[in-house]
Amino acid sequence: MKFFKILAVLISLSLLTGCAKKQKSALLNDADVLHQNEDQLTQVIIYDVFTPPVAARIYGYTALASYEAMRYIDSKYNSIITQLKGFDKPPEPQKGKKYNFALAATKAFFTVAHKVTFSIDTLKKYESKVYAMYKDNLDDSTYARSMDFGEQVGKVILKRAAFDNYPQTRGKPKYLGEDSPAKWRPTPPDYMDGVEFCWGTIKVFAIDSSAQFSPPPPPVYSEDKNSAFVKQYMEVYNKNKSLTKEEKEIARFWDDNPFVIEHNGHLMFADKKITPGGHWIGITAIACKQQHVNAVKTAQAYALSSIALYDAFICCWEVKYKYSYARPVTNINEKVDHNWLPLLQTPPFPEYTAGHSTISAAAATVLTHLFGDNFAFQDTSDVRYIGMQRHFNSFIQASDETARSRFYGGIHYLNSSLVGAAQGKQIGNFIWNKLKLTN
């Protein structure tokens, strides 16, 4: 009899446990989900060691996918891709049907990310947790409908990416420069070939062409000590011998070289960091969080910053390989000091103009239009990578410091940094004035 009583209790407990509701995952704020998505993508870009121009392309397509799905949460926001070059008309949600547009934006974002990055397993591991959160909090039809809509948006974005001349230039030969005065050649310590010498031919998003804002040519080669050519590399050489502590800090803070090769005797290892574009994606996140903007404004900010970065890289690279200008280290080693090396490791592509200066000014200009001219912020984008942070009173102040940092680092002439920054501001203003963001 005692046995049957115990059995009855066990059965009752089993039934109670079975009937208990599964504990739901807490649903995150929509904007927080978008920020986490971007952060996850940045980690993959760092791990996969994409070059700065390629990283900007990844940010561009994924951010556009996210925005085009997210914008339907507020009907006043216009499509951006219909105002850019080469995109098909985006899909629209079914009228009268319920959607979760943050879920759709996430699905669109990663539908694109899967095709433009390498570490897909890492992305899927993160995604599964996000999708499980939504599945716990949405009815089955809303969940399925939102996922399907996001995938449709992602496919429209990918269709354009397939014909932007990036896939078509993957089989290009190596670029080793020219063995002549003033022309770029591979630089120490690793003498790598030139990165992405066809990037100026990639299809732009918003501007008219890669040559639309072409700067004047750099100083012509000369051996005259009073010439602009000689003065510019002597200026770099002398400055690098007398850098202040703050100037060194500025150079290292904005280095953003995603793959610096460190040498210790016969040992070589890579020091991975965020790319220049990734740094400005981080600043975009800081601005959005500081202003507590909603999810659709967050998606818009990422999209606009990414468009500016993408088009600015294309414009800059068109100039770089048009002139194929030698880096300071080449001229200084050959004419002044054979053993000299700059404070920062020279990136493997031509000098004129400065890429970081160009893309930083473009992104800063767009962010200024979005958030205001006197937007003070603490730039913590690099804390987890290099343990450094700096305070700025505006986005333009930050981008102007970026331009000077390349000169302090010894990897660019001051003229190239300033000309690049001017070009970047032109690009950023053009993009802002072209796009009609709300109706």
Side-chain angles (χ1 to χ4, degrees), residues 42-117:
T42 291
Q43 300 315 305
V44 167
I45 288 173
I46 292 170
Y47 183 81
D48 287 346
V49 199
F50 287 106
T51 62
V54 177
R57 178 177 181 267
I58 295 169
Y59 284 122
Y61 283 116
T62 52
L64 284 170
S66 181
Y67 172 78
E68 290 297 329
M70 194 73 238
R71 70 183 175 89
Y72 286 102
I73 203 169
D74 188 337
S75 60
K76 76 177 182 182
Y77 285 88
N78 292 329
S79 168
I80 289 178
I81 65 171
T82 56
Q83 303 175 70
L84 303 180
K85 292 176 169 61
F87 288 94
D88 287 350
K89 185 179 178 181
E92 294 184 5
Q94 299 175 53
K95 291 182 179 179
K97 297 290 187 179
K98 188 177 178 182
Y99 290 83
N100 184 292
F101 291 111
L103 171 59
T106 299
K107 181 62 177 176
F109 185 90
F110 287 108
T111 295
V112 174
H114 286 177
K115 299 298 183 181
V116 294
T117 60

Side-chain angles (χ1 to χ4, degrees), residues 400-427:
D400 286 348
E401 184 176 278
T402 309
R404 296 197 309 277
S405 77
R406 316 314 271 170
F407 172 61
Y408 297 155
I411 59 176
H412 275 295
Y413 305 118
L414 183 58
N415 176 65
S416 301
S417 293
L418 299 179
V419 171
Q423 184 189 40
K425 289 174 184 175
Q426 288 180 300
I427 294 166

Side-chain angles (χ1 to χ4, degrees), residues 5 82 90 140 170 174 188 204 215 257 265 269 274-275 300 306 327 330 352 354 378:
K5 286 182 178 180
T82 56
D140 290 345
R170 293 309 87 194
K174 291 184 177 182
V204 294
N257 188 336
F269 60 93
I274 56 175
T275 62
Q300 183 191 72
S306 297
R327 289 278 183 171
T330 299
Y352 186 82
Q378 188 74 12

